[in-house]
Amino acid sequence: MTTSALATHLEVRPLTSFIGAEIRGVDLREPLADSAVAEIRAALLKWKVVFFRDQNITPEQQVEFGQRFGEITQAHPTLPGLEGHPKILSLDSNLFKEAAARIAAARGDKGAGTSLVGEYVDNRWHTDVTFVVNPPTASILRGVVVPPYGGDTFWTNLVAAYEHLSEPVRDAIDGLQAVHTNTLYTQSGTAGEELKKQFEATRYTSVHPVVRVHPETGERALFVNPGFTQNIVGVSAAESAALLRILFAQLSHPAFTVRFRWQPDSIAFWDNRATAHQGPGDLRHLEFERVVQRITLVGDVPVGPDGFTSESLQGAEFVGSPA
């Protein structure tokens, strides 16, 4: 397929009213024309997450695709990258099962390995890496080994979630900030001890606006998530917990979400400034391997409606990686 064809045959098919669209008519093995990049970016900004099917690309091509939309980060602030590909984070169900089995064996519970996977993999709603001061602009996830069923991923539109709060609640949260940290994500479940140690090898803590103004669209979006948001600043612990319960319930409302059924060679590309997502909650029940690989784009520092700019309390910015 020529680059000129790529520029003129893109088809965007929305999947729900609020979020998600499938893009057809593009071959990501080939160089993208500037016009195709512009169309994909426009679809991403409108639909928050876009999906591609039947894209049998290599890790190198995944990185090349991402580079058309921004600088690629290292794989993760604390977790190692894929061997030979420092910009790619591999999420392999076998690694989780093996870790759970090791912990079960250490406990002397030989039959618990599979059941502990649910403890080891915490699938709370989250926006990627919000514990750093400059969370990624976007993430691109590629299905490498896909089970015949199960292993679905959910995304939610944080702009829609904000806009559908009542006006008094929006007014109340527009000037608030919240603490995000990487010490929350694996705290539940004793089988998460091994992952927790690695995930928290370097501590990160940042203060972000509860509502973020999108730097490209000007839209306001909720910018809290159950995975990494610890508390709201300047209110009591009870008030913080109550407010976060309301906001977490709002962002996870089914009306604002899309569920993606993975197929081999599928790709999901989401705007990390306007979405949260939830990984599969059925890994402990799957008898099949599931491997997905993610890259993220270097992000800017969030700004709230009142002009508050995010601050780092602990840890460096999340930056690019050597080739």
Side-chain angles (χ1 to χ4, degrees), residues 254-266:
F256 311 130
T257 68
V258 64
R259 179 174 184 162
F260 186 59
R261 172 72 189 96
W262 288 95
Q263 297 172 357
D265 299 326
S266 296

Side-chain angles (χ1 to χ4, degrees), residues 150-200:
D152 297 353
T153 307
F154 297 79
W155 281 266
T156 186
N157 182 338
L158 297 180
V159 173
Y162 170 81
E163 291 176 345
H164 284 78
L165 289 167
S166 65
E167 184 176 354
V169 173
R170 294 199 304 270
D171 290 343
I173 65 175
D174 276 350
L176 295 178
Q177 295 87 46
V179 175
H180 295 234
T181 176
N182 66 328
T183 63
L184 295 180
Y185 196 63
T186 55
Q187 281 185 358
S188 65
T190 53
E193 294 164 0
E194 186 174 330
L195 177 62
K196 178 180 174 67
K197 182 178 180 180
Q198 187 176 38
F199 197 87
E200 298 178 6

